[in-house]
Amino acid sequence: MSTILFDCDTGIDDAITLLYLASLVRAGEAELIGVGTVHGNVDARTGALNTLRVLELVGIKGAEAGEAGEAGEAGVPVAVGASRPMAQDVHYAADWHGADGLGDIGLPEPAGRPVAESAAAQIVRLARSRPGEVTLLATGPLTNLGAALLLDPELPALVREVVVMGGAFDHPGNITTHAEANIWHDPEAADLVFAADWPVVLVPLDATHPTAVDDRWLDGLAAHDSDAARFATRILEFYVTAYTPTLKRRGAVIHDALAAMLAVRPELGTYVERPVRVELRGELTRGTTVWDARSLPAEDHRRPVRVAVGSDVTTFQDRLLAAVRSL
Ligand code: RIB
Ligand code: CA
């Protein structure tokens, strides 16, 4: 069973990913020990309230505001993280996720509240409380992970694996010509993550874009009579409208859910292992993920990152749809 600590910027595909994780918890296939939120699609506090909204929709309560604990009877702690990047201005993605991060469908306030602990402190505490067990799944900018590395230099030895949705290699960027949004939002933090001596799986646009869902998938979701399916259908309407011009057909790329599925079902992906760096100074290329694909002996002594370059798209789409419909 996977022990997952989720760091996200709960926007629409992060929300669908929370539904997927909830289905794994309900099936006894994963334990969600905490969630941290970060600036990105929306501000970190809105992301935390959105996370609580989604978890409550599927019967998972947030831990009490005062507590800094671990998931269990007390609920799942949702911790607010960094409000801005390490070395640039903050930037939100209202065009893709809505001003409220969930497609502006006007959801009520959640019953729960975020815990007092910061997301970075929660990463360090939970990694120390469960040494070698925690899969750190990150689907937003990497500021909290970078801050946690600065807080506790021993963190890499305590975490089982880091799975990141982000980057682009042999695929165009989505926020600049070459940079993917999660990395571009905080290049310095991302480079700290790729430089650290821990096992990182990176799920870039090269792997996520081919999994774009289509009419059949969206209609299969809309046809299902459940609160979770209705919620997912409603928030995806905004995201599909934003994505259709890019895809040139009705559809959307649910990037974060692929990272989550590869975290628990790595056999569904295909990978290459190479050191990864982030461009920090290029006027046109800041935030771009860079690897050395030459067939020369590796000159870069960083620990190689396991980069997903493809996946079993049909199985991913079928399992994600089944997961949401199971709730
Ligand atoms: O580039 C896609 C990523 O940026 C996804 O995580 C999406 O939620 C946004 O955060
Ligand atoms: Ca995200």
Side-chain angles (χ1 to χ4, degrees), residues 8-15 39-42 93 96-97 138-141 165-167 174-175 179-183 185 205 208-209 239 243 253-257:
C8 53
D9 57 341
T10 307
I12 294 168
D13 59 333
D14 307 75
H39 67 85
N41 293 329
V42 285
W96 292 89
H97 297 268
T139 65
M165 189 280 134
N174 61 0
I175 197 160
E180 178 279 329
N182 285 340
I183 307 302
H185 276 289
L205 300 180
T208 63
H209 255 271
Y239 201 48
Y243 249 111
V253 185
I254 308 177
H255 304 273
D256 298 338

PDB file of all heavy atoms in Angstrom, residues 8-15 39-42 93 96-97 138-141 165-167 174-175 179-183 185 205 208-209 239 243 253-257, ligand 1:
ATOM      1  N   CYS A   8       0.102  20.170  -3.722  1.00  0.00           N
ATOM      2  CA  CYS A   8      -0.641  20.518  -4.947  1.00  0.00           C
ATOM      3  C   CYS A   8      -1.061  21.982  -4.934  1.00  0.00           C
ATOM      4  O   CYS A   8      -0.915  22.691  -3.929  1.00  0.00           O
ATOM      5  CB  CYS A   8      -1.877  19.619  -5.056  1.00  0.00           C
ATOM      6  SG  CYS A   8      -2.932  19.617  -3.595  1.00  0.00           S
ATOM      7  N   ASP A   9      -1.596  22.413  -6.078  1.00  0.00           N
ATOM      8  CA  ASP A   9      -2.088  23.794  -6.179  1.00  0.00           C
ATOM      9  C   ASP A   9      -3.537  23.741  -6.663  1.00  0.00           C
ATOM     10  O   ASP A   9      -3.882  24.209  -7.732  1.00  0.00           O
ATOM     11  CB  ASP A   9      -1.217  24.650  -7.107  1.00  0.00           C
ATOM     12  CG  ASP A   9      -1.078  24.094  -8.531  1.00  0.00           C
ATOM     13  OD1 ASP A   9      -1.338  22.889  -8.740  1.00  0.00           O
ATOM     14  OD2 ASP A   9      -0.732  24.889  -9.425  1.00  0.00           O
ATOM     15  N   THR A  10      -4.377  23.138  -5.815  1.00  0.00           N
ATOM     16  CA  THR A  10      -5.706  22.664  -6.209  1.00  0.00           C
ATOM     17  C   THR A  10      -6.524  23.682  -6.996  1.00  0.00           C
ATOM     18  O   THR A  10      -7.223  24.518  -6.458  1.00  0.00           O
ATOM     19  CB  THR A  10      -6.497  22.146  -5.008  1.00  0.00           C
ATOM     20  OG1 THR A  10      -5.659  21.173  -4.346  1.00  0.00           O
ATOM     21  CG2 THR A  10      -7.780  21.433  -5.435  1.00  0.00           C
ATOM     22  N   GLY A  11      -6.360  23.368  -8.192  1.00  0.00           N
ATOM     23  CA  GLY A  11      -6.954  23.665  -9.468  1.00  0.00           C
ATOM     24  C   GLY A  11      -7.660  22.407  -9.943  1.00  0.00           C
ATOM     25  O   GLY A  11      -7.810  21.433  -9.193  1.00  0.00           O
ATOM     26  N   ILE A  12      -8.104  22.460 -11.169  1.00  0.00           N
ATOM     27  CA  ILE A  12      -9.059  21.462 -11.652  1.00  0.00           C
ATOM     28  C   ILE A  12      -8.436  20.075 -11.802  1.00  0.00           C
ATOM     29  O   ILE A  12      -9.004  19.081 -11.314  1.00  0.00           O
ATOM     30  CB  ILE A  12      -9.696  21.947 -12.966  1.00  0.00           C
ATOM     31  CG1 ILE A  12     -10.558  23.199 -12.686  1.00  0.00           C
ATOM     32  CG2 ILE A  12     -10.520  20.850 -13.630  1.00  0.00           C
ATOM     33  CD1 ILE A  12     -11.029  23.951 -13.894  1.00  0.00           C
ATOM     34  N   ASP A  13      -7.275  19.958 -12.409  1.00  0.00           N
ATOM     35  CA  ASP A  13      -6.724  18.600 -12.542  1.00  0.00           C
ATOM     36  C   ASP A  13      -6.165  18.085 -11.225  1.00  0.00           C
ATOM     37  O   ASP A  13      -6.162  16.867 -10.972  1.00  0.00           O
ATOM     38  CB  ASP A  13      -5.721  18.494 -13.690  1.00  0.00           C
ATOM     39  CG  ASP A  13      -4.533  19.415 -13.576  1.00  0.00           C
ATOM     40  OD1 ASP A  13      -4.655  20.479 -12.954  1.00  0.00           O
ATOM     41  OD2 ASP A  13      -3.464  19.069 -14.106  1.00  0.00           O
ATOM     42  N   ASP A  14      -5.742  18.987 -10.332  1.00  0.00           N
ATOM     43  CA  ASP A  14      -5.375  18.566  -8.977  1.00  0.00           C
ATOM     44  C   ASP A  14      -6.610  18.006  -8.259  1.00  0.00           C
ATOM     45  O   ASP A  14      -6.528  17.019  -7.538  1.00  0.00           O
ATOM     46  CB  ASP A  14      -4.832  19.740  -8.164  1.00  0.00           C
ATOM     47  CG  ASP A  14      -3.703  20.485  -8.837  1.00  0.00           C
ATOM     48  OD1 ASP A  14      -3.987  21.244  -9.785  1.00  0.00           O
ATOM     49  OD2 ASP A  14      -2.546  20.287  -8.443  1.00  0.00           O
ATOM     50  N   ALA A  15      -7.770  18.628  -8.467  1.00  0.00           N
ATOM     51  CA  ALA A  15      -9.008  18.175  -7.827  1.00  0.00           C
ATOM     52  C   ALA A  15      -9.410  16.797  -8.326  1.00  0.00           C
ATOM     53  O   ALA A  15      -9.818  15.922  -7.542  1.00  0.00           O
ATOM     54  CB  ALA A  15     -10.139  19.183  -8.086  1.00  0.00           C
ATOM     55  N   HIS A  39       1.258  28.092  -3.909  1.00  0.00           N
ATOM     56  CA  HIS A  39       0.845  29.054  -4.965  1.00  0.00           C
ATOM     57  C   HIS A  39       0.961  28.352  -6.319  1.00  0.00           C
ATOM     58  O   HIS A  39       1.768  27.443  -6.502  1.00  0.00           O
ATOM     59  CB  HIS A  39       1.787  30.267  -4.949  1.00  0.00           C
ATOM     60  CG  HIS A  39       3.182  29.912  -5.361  1.00  0.00           C
ATOM     61  ND1 HIS A  39       3.609  29.860  -6.681  1.00  0.00           N
ATOM     62  CD2 HIS A  39       4.244  29.503  -4.624  1.00  0.00           C
ATOM     63  CE1 HIS A  39       4.869  29.472  -6.736  1.00  0.00           C
ATOM     64  NE2 HIS A  39       5.271  29.235  -5.499  1.00  0.00           N
ATOM     65  N   GLY A  40       0.137  28.771  -7.263  1.00  0.00           N
ATOM     66  CA  GLY A  40       0.244  28.191  -8.619  1.00  0.00           C
ATOM     67  C   GLY A  40      -1.023  28.481  -9.397  1.00  0.00           C
ATOM     68  O   GLY A  40      -1.255  29.612  -9.823  1.00  0.00           O
ATOM     69  N   ASN A  41      -1.861  27.481  -9.524  1.00  0.00           N
ATOM     70  CA  ASN A  41      -3.152  27.717 -10.202  1.00  0.00           C
ATOM     71  C   ASN A  41      -3.936  28.817  -9.485  1.00  0.00           C
ATOM     72  O   ASN A  41      -4.619  29.626 -10.116  1.00  0.00           O
ATOM     73  CB  ASN A  41      -3.988  26.443 -10.231  1.00  0.00           C
ATOM     74  CG  ASN A  41      -3.370  25.372 -11.114  1.00  0.00           C
ATOM     75  OD1 ASN A  41      -2.715  25.691 -12.103  1.00  0.00           O
ATOM     76  ND2 ASN A  41      -3.541  24.110 -10.732  1.00  0.00           N
ATOM     77  N   VAL A  42      -3.873  28.766  -8.156  1.00  0.00           N
ATOM     78  CA  VAL A  42      -4.512  29.782  -7.291  1.00  0.00           C
ATOM     79  C   VAL A  42      -3.556  30.062  -6.126  1.00  0.00           C
ATOM     80  O   VAL A  42      -2.492  29.447  -6.019  1.00  0.00           O
ATOM     81  CB  VAL A  42      -5.864  29.287  -6.716  1.00  0.00           C
ATOM     82  CG1 VAL A  42      -6.961  29.299  -7.753  1.00  0.00           C
ATOM     83  CG2 VAL A  42      -5.717  27.911  -6.083  1.00  0.00           C
ATOM     84  N   ALA A  93      -3.218  31.058 -12.477  1.00  0.00           N
ATOM     85  CA  ALA A  93      -3.650  30.527 -13.782  1.00  0.00           C
ATOM     86  C   ALA A  93      -5.175  30.548 -13.901  1.00  0.00           C
ATOM     87  O   ALA A  93      -5.814  29.529 -14.210  1.00  0.00           O
ATOM     88  CB  ALA A  93      -3.108  29.111 -13.968  1.00  0.00           C
ATOM     89  N   TRP A  96      -7.069  29.084 -16.935  1.00  0.00           N
ATOM     90  CA  TRP A  96      -7.174  27.633 -17.107  1.00  0.00           C
ATOM     91  C   TRP A  96      -8.008  26.980 -16.013  1.00  0.00           C
ATOM     92  O   TRP A  96      -8.618  25.926 -16.224  1.00  0.00           O
ATOM     93  CB  TRP A  96      -5.772  27.004 -17.104  1.00  0.00           C
ATOM     94  CG  TRP A  96      -4.985  27.386 -18.302  1.00  0.00           C
ATOM     95  CD1 TRP A  96      -4.160  28.474 -18.454  1.00  0.00           C
ATOM     96  CD2 TRP A  96      -4.950  26.702 -19.563  1.00  0.00           C
ATOM     97  NE1 TRP A  96      -3.628  28.502 -19.715  1.00  0.00           N
ATOM     98  CE2 TRP A  96      -4.096  27.432 -20.421  1.00  0.00           C
ATOM     99  CE3 TRP A  96      -5.572  25.547 -20.049  1.00  0.00           C
ATOM    100  CZ2 TRP A  96      -3.837  27.034 -21.729  1.00  0.00           C
ATOM    101  CZ3 TRP A  96      -5.310  25.147 -21.360  1.00  0.00           C
ATOM    102  CH2 TRP A  96      -4.452  25.881 -22.184  1.00  0.00           C
ATOM    103  N   HIS A  97      -8.041  27.587 -14.813  1.00  0.00           N
ATOM    104  CA  HIS A  97      -8.696  26.925 -13.673  1.00  0.00           C
ATOM    105  C   HIS A  97      -9.812  27.764 -13.059  1.00  0.00           C
ATOM    106  O   HIS A  97     -10.465  27.326 -12.123  1.00  0.00           O
ATOM    107  CB  HIS A  97      -7.647  26.587 -12.603  1.00  0.00           C
ATOM    108  CG  HIS A  97      -6.621  25.616 -13.103  1.00  0.00           C
ATOM    109  ND1 HIS A  97      -6.741  24.249 -12.963  1.00  0.00           N
ATOM    110  CD2 HIS A  97      -5.467  25.804 -13.791  1.00  0.00           C
ATOM    111  CE1 HIS A  97      -5.706  23.647 -13.517  1.00  0.00           C
ATOM    112  NE2 HIS A  97      -4.912  24.565 -14.042  1.00  0.00           N
ATOM    113  N   ALA A 138       3.912  15.558  -5.996  1.00  0.00           N
ATOM    114  CA  ALA A 138       3.854  17.015  -6.165  1.00  0.00           C
ATOM    115  C   ALA A 138       3.284  17.365  -7.530  1.00  0.00           C
ATOM    116  O   ALA A 138       3.840  16.978  -8.561  1.00  0.00           O
ATOM    117  CB  ALA A 138       5.234  17.630  -6.004  1.00  0.00           C
ATOM    118  N   THR A 139       2.166  18.093  -7.513  1.00  0.00           N
ATOM    119  CA  THR A 139       1.516  18.443  -8.780  1.00  0.00           C
ATOM    120  C   THR A 139       1.316  19.949  -8.926  1.00  0.00           C
ATOM    121  O   THR A 139       0.423  20.400  -9.637  1.00  0.00           O
ATOM    122  CB  THR A 139       0.151  17.732  -8.918  1.00  0.00           C
ATOM    123  OG1 THR A 139      -0.726  18.231  -7.883  1.00  0.00           O
ATOM    124  CG2 THR A 139       0.293  16.232  -8.823  1.00  0.00           C
ATOM    125  N   GLY A 140       2.116  20.702  -8.228  1.00  0.00           N
ATOM    126  CA  GLY A 140       2.118  22.160  -8.357  1.00  0.00           C
ATOM    127  C   GLY A 140       3.560  22.637  -8.395  1.00  0.00           C
ATOM    128  O   GLY A 140       4.499  21.822  -8.468  1.00  0.00           O
ATOM    129  N   PRO A 141       3.774  23.935  -8.338  1.00  0.00           N
ATOM    130  CA  PRO A 141       5.142  24.434  -8.212  1.00  0.00           C
ATOM    131  C   PRO A 141       5.836  23.823  -7.001  1.00  0.00           C
ATOM    132  O   PRO A 141       5.194  23.457  -6.030  1.00  0.00           O
ATOM    133  CB  PRO A 141       4.931  25.942  -8.047  1.00  0.00           C
ATOM    134  CG  PRO A 141       3.624  26.207  -8.755  1.00  0.00           C
ATOM    135  CD  PRO A 141       2.774  25.007  -8.473  1.00  0.00           C
ATOM    136  N   MET A 165       4.690  16.065 -11.200  1.00  0.00           N
ATOM    137  CA  MET A 165       4.148  16.413 -12.507  1.00  0.00           C
ATOM    138  C   MET A 165       4.817  17.720 -12.905  1.00  0.00           C
ATOM    139  O   MET A 165       4.640  18.739 -12.215  1.00  0.00           O
ATOM    140  CB  MET A 165       2.634  16.622 -12.474  1.00  0.00           C
ATOM    141  CG  MET A 165       2.030  16.776 -13.886  1.00  0.00           C
ATOM    142  SD  MET A 165       2.242  18.453 -14.557  1.00  0.00           S
ATOM    143  CE  MET A 165       2.812  18.085 -16.233  1.00  0.00           C
ATOM    144  N   GLY A 166       5.590  17.689 -14.018  1.00  0.00           N
ATOM    145  CA  GLY A 166       6.195  18.954 -14.438  1.00  0.00           C
ATOM    146  C   GLY A 166       7.233  18.735 -15.511  1.00  0.00           C
ATOM    147  O   GLY A 166       7.657  17.617 -15.778  1.00  0.00           O
ATOM    148  N   GLY A 167       7.599  19.853 -16.150  1.00  0.00           N
ATOM    149  CA  GLY A 167       8.668  19.824 -17.140  1.00  0.00           C
ATOM    150  C   GLY A 167       8.176  19.496 -18.541  1.00  0.00           C
ATOM    151  O   GLY A 167       7.037  19.098 -18.758  1.00  0.00           O
ATOM    152  N   ASN A 174       4.085  24.905 -21.954  1.00  0.00           N
ATOM    153  CA  ASN A 174       2.675  25.345 -21.954  1.00  0.00           C
ATOM    154  C   ASN A 174       2.503  26.706 -21.296  1.00  0.00           C
ATOM    155  O   ASN A 174       1.408  27.251 -21.280  1.00  0.00           O
ATOM    156  CB  ASN A 174       1.754  24.312 -21.292  1.00  0.00           C
ATOM    157  CG  ASN A 174       2.109  24.069 -19.830  1.00  0.00           C
ATOM    158  OD1 ASN A 174       3.045  24.664 -19.304  1.00  0.00           O
ATOM    159  ND2 ASN A 174       1.362  23.195 -19.185  1.00  0.00           N
ATOM    160  N   ILE A 175       3.568  27.243 -20.742  1.00  0.00           N
ATOM    161  CA  ILE A 175       3.457  28.602 -20.178  1.00  0.00           C
ATOM    162  C   ILE A 175       4.446  29.552 -20.861  1.00  0.00           C
ATOM    163  O   ILE A 175       4.218  30.742 -20.948  1.00  0.00           O
ATOM    164  CB  ILE A 175       3.630  28.602 -18.651  1.00  0.00           C
ATOM    165  CG1 ILE A 175       3.099  29.896 -18.036  1.00  0.00           C
ATOM    166  CG2 ILE A 175       5.098  28.338 -18.254  1.00  0.00           C
ATOM    167  CD1 ILE A 175       2.799  29.803 -16.574  1.00  0.00           C
ATOM    168  N   ALA A 179       8.949  26.141 -21.424  1.00  0.00           N
ATOM    169  CA  ALA A 179       8.787  25.796 -20.009  1.00  0.00           C
ATOM    170  C   ALA A 179       7.380  25.332 -19.683  1.00  0.00           C
ATOM    171  O   ALA A 179       6.390  25.868 -20.203  1.00  0.00           O
ATOM    172  CB  ALA A 179       9.133  27.016 -19.132  1.00  0.00           C
ATOM    173  N   GLU A 180       7.291  24.328 -18.804  1.00  0.00           N
ATOM    174  CA  GLU A 180       5.992  23.842 -18.302  1.00  0.00           C
ATOM    175  C   GLU A 180       5.663  24.639 -17.039  1.00  0.00           C
ATOM    176  O   GLU A 180       6.553  25.027 -16.277  1.00  0.00           O
ATOM    177  CB  GLU A 180       6.130  22.334 -18.016  1.00  0.00           C
ATOM    178  CG  GLU A 180       4.893  21.675 -17.438  1.00  0.00           C
ATOM    179  CD  GLU A 180       4.794  21.930 -15.944  1.00  0.00           C
ATOM    180  OE1 GLU A 180       5.829  22.056 -15.268  1.00  0.00           O
ATOM    181  OE2 GLU A 180       3.656  22.050 -15.459  1.00  0.00           O
ATOM    182  N   ALA A 181       4.384  24.812 -16.740  1.00  0.00           N
ATOM    183  CA  ALA A 181       3.937  25.757 -15.706  1.00  0.00           C
ATOM    184  C   ALA A 181       4.498  25.453 -14.321  1.00  0.00           C
ATOM    185  O   ALA A 181       5.001  26.351 -13.636  1.00  0.00           O
ATOM    186  CB  ALA A 181       2.411  25.780 -15.669  1.00  0.00           C
ATOM    187  N   ASN A 182       4.416  24.201 -13.840  1.00  0.00           N
ATOM    188  CA  ASN A 182       4.836  23.928 -12.462  1.00  0.00           C
ATOM    189  C   ASN A 182       6.304  24.278 -12.238  1.00  0.00           C
ATOM    190  O   ASN A 182       6.674  24.821 -11.199  1.00  0.00           O
ATOM    191  CB  ASN A 182       4.601  22.455 -12.101  1.00  0.00           C
ATOM    192  CG  ASN A 182       3.134  22.155 -11.870  1.00  0.00           C
ATOM    193  OD1 ASN A 182       2.345  23.060 -11.615  1.00  0.00           O
ATOM    194  ND2 ASN A 182       2.762  20.905 -11.999  1.00  0.00           N
ATOM    195  N   ILE A 183       7.123  23.977 -13.246  1.00  0.00           N
ATOM    196  CA  ILE A 183       8.556  24.273 -13.100  1.00  0.00           C
ATOM    197  C   ILE A 183       8.791  25.768 -13.259  1.00  0.00           C
ATOM    198  O   ILE A 183       9.525  26.400 -12.484  1.00  0.00           O
ATOM    199  CB  ILE A 183       9.398  23.471 -14.109  1.00  0.00           C
ATOM    200  CG1 ILE A 183       9.073  21.980 -14.030  1.00  0.00           C
ATOM    201  CG2 ILE A 183      10.888  23.734 -13.909  1.00  0.00           C
ATOM    202  CD1 ILE A 183       9.274  21.355 -12.669  1.00  0.00           C
ATOM    203  N   HIS A 185       6.865  28.209 -12.603  1.00  0.00           N
ATOM    204  CA  HIS A 185       6.392  29.005 -11.460  1.00  0.00           C
ATOM    205  C   HIS A 185       7.476  29.183 -10.397  1.00  0.00           C
ATOM    206  O   HIS A 185       7.471  30.156  -9.645  1.00  0.00           O
ATOM    207  CB  HIS A 185       5.167  28.339 -10.820  1.00  0.00           C
ATOM    208  CG  HIS A 185       3.860  28.660 -11.493  1.00  0.00           C
ATOM    209  ND1 HIS A 185       3.271  29.889 -11.411  1.00  0.00           N
ATOM    210  CD2 HIS A 185       3.032  27.894 -12.247  1.00  0.00           C
ATOM    211  CE1 HIS A 185       2.125  29.871 -12.100  1.00  0.00           C
ATOM    212  NE2 HIS A 185       1.948  28.682 -12.602  1.00  0.00           N
ATOM    213  N   LEU A 205       5.159  17.066 -19.755  1.00  0.00           N
ATOM    214  CA  LEU A 205       4.135  17.183 -20.797  1.00  0.00           C
ATOM    215  C   LEU A 205       4.313  16.125 -21.891  1.00  0.00           C
ATOM    216  O   LEU A 205       3.334  15.726 -22.530  1.00  0.00           O
ATOM    217  CB  LEU A 205       4.193  18.583 -21.433  1.00  0.00           C
ATOM    218  CG  LEU A 205       3.953  19.772 -20.496  1.00  0.00           C
ATOM    219  CD1 LEU A 205       4.043  21.085 -21.277  1.00  0.00           C
ATOM    220  CD2 LEU A 205       2.608  19.662 -19.792  1.00  0.00           C
ATOM    221  N   THR A 208       2.136  13.550 -20.373  1.00  0.00           N
ATOM    222  CA  THR A 208       0.747  13.872 -20.037  1.00  0.00           C
ATOM    223  C   THR A 208      -0.089  14.254 -21.252  1.00  0.00           C
ATOM    224  O   THR A 208      -1.262  13.860 -21.352  1.00  0.00           O
ATOM    225  CB  THR A 208       0.673  14.997 -18.992  1.00  0.00           C
ATOM    226  OG1 THR A 208       1.242  16.213 -19.543  1.00  0.00           O
ATOM    227  CG2 THR A 208       1.399  14.633 -17.708  1.00  0.00           C
ATOM    228  N   HIS A 209       0.495  15.009 -22.189  1.00  0.00           N
ATOM    229  CA  HIS A 209      -0.337  15.491 -23.306  1.00  0.00           C
ATOM    230  C   HIS A 209      -0.976  14.364 -24.125  1.00  0.00           C
ATOM    231  O   HIS A 209      -2.155  14.460 -24.487  1.00  0.00           O
ATOM    232  CB  HIS A 209       0.441  16.452 -24.208  1.00  0.00           C
ATOM    233  CG  HIS A 209       0.023  17.878 -23.986  1.00  0.00           C
ATOM    234  ND1 HIS A 209      -1.004  18.462 -24.686  1.00  0.00           N
ATOM    235  CD2 HIS A 209       0.444  18.797 -23.082  1.00  0.00           C
ATOM    236  CE1 HIS A 209      -1.187  19.699 -24.249  1.00  0.00           C
ATOM    237  NE2 HIS A 209      -0.318  19.921 -23.272  1.00  0.00           N
ATOM    238  N   TYR A 239     -12.285  23.775 -17.713  1.00  0.00           N
ATOM    239  CA  TYR A 239     -10.967  23.306 -18.161  1.00  0.00           C
ATOM    240  C   TYR A 239     -11.024  22.876 -19.628  1.00  0.00           C
ATOM    241  O   TYR A 239     -10.117  23.193 -20.414  1.00  0.00           O
ATOM    242  CB  TYR A 239     -10.577  22.133 -17.269  1.00  0.00           C
ATOM    243  CG  TYR A 239      -9.120  21.777 -17.181  1.00  0.00           C
ATOM    244  CD1 TYR A 239      -8.135  22.726 -16.950  1.00  0.00           C
ATOM    245  CD2 TYR A 239      -8.731  20.441 -17.285  1.00  0.00           C
ATOM    246  CE1 TYR A 239      -6.796  22.363 -16.841  1.00  0.00           C
ATOM    247  CE2 TYR A 239      -7.395  20.075 -17.179  1.00  0.00           C
ATOM    248  CZ  TYR A 239      -6.441  21.028 -16.941  1.00  0.00           C
ATOM    249  OH  TYR A 239      -5.108  20.663 -16.835  1.00  0.00           O
ATOM    250  N   TYR A 243      -8.995  24.257 -22.820  1.00  0.00           N
ATOM    251  CA  TYR A 243      -8.070  23.369 -23.538  1.00  0.00           C
ATOM    252  C   TYR A 243      -8.434  23.156 -25.001  1.00  0.00           C
ATOM    253  O   TYR A 243      -7.579  22.828 -25.825  1.00  0.00           O
ATOM    254  CB  TYR A 243      -7.982  22.002 -22.832  1.00  0.00           C
ATOM    255  CG  TYR A 243      -6.633  21.782 -22.200  1.00  0.00           C
ATOM    256  CD1 TYR A 243      -6.470  21.750 -20.824  1.00  0.00           C
ATOM    257  CD2 TYR A 243      -5.497  21.655 -22.988  1.00  0.00           C
ATOM    258  CE1 TYR A 243      -5.227  21.581 -20.254  1.00  0.00           C
ATOM    259  CE2 TYR A 243      -4.235  21.490 -22.431  1.00  0.00           C
ATOM    260  CZ  TYR A 243      -4.119  21.459 -21.058  1.00  0.00           C
ATOM    261  OH  TYR A 243      -2.870  21.310 -20.499  1.00  0.00           O
ATOM    262  N   VAL A 253      -6.327  17.907 -20.776  1.00  0.00           N
ATOM    263  CA  VAL A 253      -5.219  17.082 -20.285  1.00  0.00           C
ATOM    264  C   VAL A 253      -5.255  17.097 -18.753  1.00  0.00           C
ATOM    265  O   VAL A 253      -5.059  18.150 -18.144  1.00  0.00           O
ATOM    266  CB  VAL A 253      -3.853  17.599 -20.784  1.00  0.00           C
ATOM    267  CG1 VAL A 253      -2.740  16.635 -20.350  1.00  0.00           C
ATOM    268  CG2 VAL A 253      -3.856  17.769 -22.303  1.00  0.00           C
ATOM    269  N   ILE A 254      -5.541  15.950 -18.157  1.00  0.00           N
ATOM    270  CA  ILE A 254      -5.620  15.862 -16.693  1.00  0.00           C
ATOM    271  C   ILE A 254      -4.239  15.440 -16.177  1.00  0.00           C
ATOM    272  O   ILE A 254      -4.015  14.327 -15.696  1.00  0.00           O
ATOM    273  CB  ILE A 254      -6.745  14.888 -16.266  1.00  0.00           C
ATOM    274  CG1 ILE A 254      -8.054  15.284 -16.977  1.00  0.00           C
ATOM    275  CG2 ILE A 254      -6.959  14.929 -14.756  1.00  0.00           C
ATOM    276  CD1 ILE A 254      -9.225  14.352 -16.702  1.00  0.00           C
ATOM    277  N   HIS A 255      -3.302  16.381 -16.328  1.00  0.00           N
ATOM    278  CA  HIS A 255      -1.873  16.114 -16.100  1.00  0.00           C
ATOM    279  C   HIS A 255      -1.623  15.407 -14.767  1.00  0.00           C
ATOM    280  O   HIS A 255      -0.932  14.406 -14.695  1.00  0.00           O
ATOM    281  CB  HIS A 255      -1.088  17.438 -16.070  1.00  0.00           C
ATOM    282  CG  HIS A 255      -1.226  18.301 -17.265  1.00  0.00           C
ATOM    283  ND1 HIS A 255      -0.421  18.182 -18.390  1.00  0.00           N
ATOM    284  CD2 HIS A 255      -2.061  19.337 -17.520  1.00  0.00           C
ATOM    285  CE1 HIS A 255      -0.755  19.105 -19.276  1.00  0.00           C
ATOM    286  NE2 HIS A 255      -1.754  19.811 -18.786  1.00  0.00           N
ATOM    287  N   ASP A 256      -2.148  16.000 -13.689  1.00  0.00           N
ATOM    288  CA  ASP A 256      -1.755  15.577 -12.342  1.00  0.00           C
ATOM    289  C   ASP A 256      -2.174  14.147 -12.039  1.00  0.00           C
ATOM    290  O   ASP A 256      -1.479  13.430 -11.310  1.00  0.00           O
ATOM    291  CB  ASP A 256      -2.363  16.535 -11.305  1.00  0.00           C
ATOM    292  CG  ASP A 256      -1.854  17.961 -11.493  1.00  0.00           C
ATOM    293  OD1 ASP A 256      -0.776  18.129 -12.108  1.00  0.00           O
ATOM    294  OD2 ASP A 256      -2.527  18.893 -11.045  1.00  0.00           O
ATOM    295  N   ALA A 257      -3.297  13.739 -12.606  1.00  0.00           N
ATOM    296  CA  ALA A 257      -3.778  12.368 -12.340  1.00  0.00           C
ATOM    297  C   ALA A 257      -2.817  11.330 -12.903  1.00  0.00           C
ATOM    298  O   ALA A 257      -2.657  10.245 -12.315  1.00  0.00           O
ATOM    299  CB  ALA A 257      -5.172  12.182 -12.937  1.00  0.00           C
TER     300      ALA A 257
HETATM  301  O1  RIB B   1       1.432  22.253 -16.564  1.00  0.00           O
HETATM  302  C1  RIB B   1       0.392  21.549 -15.943  1.00  0.00           C
HETATM  303  C2  RIB B   1       0.441  21.734 -14.454  1.00  0.00           C
HETATM  304  O2  RIB B   1       0.232  23.107 -14.135  1.00  0.00           O
HETATM  305  C3  RIB B   1      -0.673  20.975 -13.708  1.00  0.00           C
HETATM  306  O3  RIB B   1      -0.207  20.602 -12.445  1.00  0.00           O
HETATM  307  C4  RIB B   1      -1.759  22.006 -13.557  1.00  0.00           C
HETATM  308  O4  RIB B   1      -2.580  21.766 -12.410  1.00  0.00           O
HETATM  309  C5  RIB B   1      -0.947  23.249 -13.333  1.00  0.00           C
HETATM  310  O5  RIB B   1      -0.584  23.272 -11.956  1.00  0.00           O
END
